[in-house]
Amino acid sequence: MRADGQRNREAILKAAADVFARDGFVIALDRIAVEAGVGRATLYRNFSNRSVLALAVFEQNVSRFEQLAEKVPETPRGFRFMLDALAEDIAAHAALGQALAFTDSGDELGELRDRVVNVLDRFRSAGIDAGELRVDFCRDDIALLIDTLGLGLQPGAREQRARYVARMVELFCAGTTRR
């Protein structure tokens, strides 16, 4: 891809993440093109439809999450740090959950979700080995947490979403910490 094409694609992804978070998923895609500073044809040349665009934004978020995990020690504290990072990302991109509910790419979405679970599972294992997390805390519990955090988050005030997600993480951690 040429440099200008890559810049346009990145601008569209950033604008889509911002617009979805602020205004929800069911908006005119032209608004994303305007916010990205590109024409409608450029948007559709890069992303054939709303679902493809939502998946691309989600893939970008997952990639950032994986890169962050490479810098964090696999410890119980690392587990909490990564959960907090995930919660912050979910609060920042709440409408993406709406968007992903409308996508028709179940396999792709499942693969992206599994990548997040895989990251957190490494930290979970380290926490159990260190004796700080419950031994019955399993990989499926991580998937349940991810699904729970994503439910019911609507567009609107980011601060309110952030408080809600942070509280869910706090309760989850209290329930998985070994006493």
Side-chain angles (χ1 to χ4, degrees):
M1 183 176 285
R2 294 182 353 202
D4 61 335
Q6 185 63 35
R7 275 193 308 276
N8 287 342
R9 182 177 174 79
E10 292 301 317
I12 293 167
L13 287 170
K14 182 182 181 333
D18 292 346
V19 170
F20 288 157
R22 185 181 61 239
D23 303 324
F25 180 62
V26 185
I27 48 91
L29 291 182
D30 289 350
R31 288 175 54 192
I32 293 171
V34 168
E35 192 155 319
V38 301
R40 181 180 176 158
T42 300
L43 185 140
Y44 283 103
R45 191 171 28 258
N46 282 276
F47 304 100
S48 59
N49 61 50
R50 185 181 311 269
S51 295
V52 171
L53 179 55
L55 281 169
V57 171
F58 188 47
E59 199 286 325
Q60 193 174 52
N61 292 349
V62 170
S63 291
R64 267 195 315 270
F65 187 70
E66 290 169 327
Q67 290 168 3
L68 176 63
E70 294 302 318
K71 300 173 187 171
V72 176
E74 290 180 8
T75 64
R77 280 196 175 134
F79 179 76
R80 178 60 192 255
F81 179 86
M82 292 305 297
L83 272 181
D84 287 341
L86 178 63
E88 185 178 312
D89 196 51
I90 288 172
H93 301 100
L96 198 52
Q98 274 183 320
L100 296 171
F102 287 101
T103 64
D104 53 1
S105 301
D107 290 343
E108 285 180 66
L109 182 57
E111 288 172 19
L112 291 171
R113 182 177 170 271
D114 286 347
R115 286 170 49 190
V116 174
V117 171
N118 289 340
V119 167
L120 291 173
D121 194 45
R122 294 191 328 251
F123 291 90
R124 178 198 61 86
S125 295
I128 290 171
D129 292 345
E132 294 190 30
L133 295 176
R134 292 170 45 158
V135 295
D136 64 338
F137 176 30
C138 67
R139 178 185 169 85
D140 289 342
D141 295 332
I142 294 170
L144 178 63
L145 172 67
I146 292 168
D147 293 344
T148 302
L149 291 176
L151 290 175
L153 294 175
Q154 299 297 318
R158 180 178 177 173
E159 297 79 24
Q160 181 179 0
R161 291 191 315 256
R163 282 192 304 276
Y164 171 82
V165 174
R167 179 66 176 153
M168 289 298 299
V169 167
E170 182 181 322
L171 292 171
F172 182 83
C173 288
T176 58
T177 303
R178 199 160 177 201
R179 296 174 198 261

